[in-house]
Amino acid sequence: MQLSASLARDGLRRLGRAVVDGVLPPRCLACGDIVGEPHALCGRCWAAMTFFAPPWCVLCGLPFPHPVADDAVCGACAIARPHWDRARAVLRYDKHSRRLVLSLKHGDQTHLAHAFGRWMRRAGHEVLDSADLLVPVPLHWTRLFSRRFNQAALLAQAIHAAGGPPVAADWLVRRRKTPSQGHLGPLARQRNVAAAFAVRPGRELRGRRVVLVDDVMTTGATAAECARVLRRAGAGFVGVLTLARALRTGAQ
Ligand SMILES: [Zn+2]
Ligand SMILES: [Zn+2]
């Protein structure tokens, strides 16, 4: 009797899953093609993305084309040491990963953030493992109002859900609205973000190990300015973790 009841339950569960799968088959995060499991890329999109992997610059994670010592530093970091201690990203920012970044802003955010959070947790283990807090790059409140959510905060929550440190959601604030940076060069971006960020009064950062989280790092001006502010407030370590990162050289 009990056995047949449990068989019936199993049957119902299978049927339930088939119905759910039938209604909502899992789709590729980038192109929307049907895939075998949820929160995944199809084979074609997976092959098109450039996932960063060692050997890389110990500071900024820039991949090297050949094997190097574990503590090797790239030319850019050797010339001008960044304000942050270590930066890591999951994907190269190019025309393929741009689709993922844009769909996080406009698509099914919860579904995407879940997948990206797991990727970022894995790719960022060197900066996350000893971190106390995740600090998302803030939006100005007027932009937050029009967009309704901050994608950096969403990613930080997803990294935490994947086993990362807790999120200090409002510790860093954007004091003034900065014009969109899309069309600006590196120097203009630096000027654009100067004095744009501050640590919220009363938040104690002294000696804390924090990881700044954002969706994309392009010139690094925003991350550099946020890191400077966090460090001035006493942070003992500032890491940077982004979903995608643009490389200065090479075709996209
Ligand atoms: Zn695809
Ligand atoms: Zn570097």
Side-chain angles (χ1 to χ4, degrees), residues 45-93:
C45 289
W46 183 269
M49 304 284 171
T50 304
F51 287 87
F52 290 127
W56 53 28
C57 167
V58 68
L59 295 181
C60 74
L62 181 84
F64 290 122
H66 45 76
V68 291
D70 281 352
D71 56 354
V73 169
C74 76
C77 289
I79 292 167
R81 202 178 163 104
H83 286 292
W84 32 260
D85 293 285
R86 221 161 251 225
R88 292 292 181 265
V90 178
L91 288 160
R92 179 174 185 177
Y93 190 51

Side-chain angles (χ1 to χ4, degrees), residues 2-133:
Q2 231 170 7
L3 184 66
S4 67
S6 99
L7 278 176
R9 232 186 356 257
D10 278 0
L12 271 178
R13 200 175 296 141
R14 265 199 301 276
L15 180 68
R17 196 177 304 147
V19 168
V20 169
D21 288 350
V23 176
L24 292 170
R27 292 189 175 271
C28 170
L29 297 170
C31 72
D33 273 5
I34 292 174
V35 287
E37 54 181 289
H39 314 303
L41 293 169
C42 73
R44 214 179 41 234
C45 289
W46 183 269
M49 304 284 171
T50 304
F51 287 87
F52 290 127
W56 53 28
C57 167
V58 68
L59 295 181
C60 74
L62 181 84
F64 290 122
H66 45 76
V68 291
D70 281 352
D71 56 354
V73 169
C74 76
C77 289
I79 292 167
R81 202 178 163 104
H83 286 292
W84 32 260
D85 293 285
R86 221 161 251 225
R88 292 292 181 265
V90 178
L91 288 160
R92 179 174 185 177
Y93 190 51
D94 56 19
K95 66 181 180 203
H96 305 288
S97 62
R98 190 176 296 130
R99 291 175 70 170
L100 291 176
V101 171
L102 289 178
S103 52
L104 183 66
K105 283 182 184 146
H106 308 296
D108 175 359
Q109 289 88 21
T110 320
H111 170 61
L112 289 162
H114 177 83
F116 299 163
R118 284 187 310 163
W119 294 356
M120 291 170 84
R121 173 77 186 89
R122 222 172 15 237
H125 70 91
E126 289 163 289
V127 292
L128 292 171
D129 285 353
S130 61
D132 301 313
L133 292 170

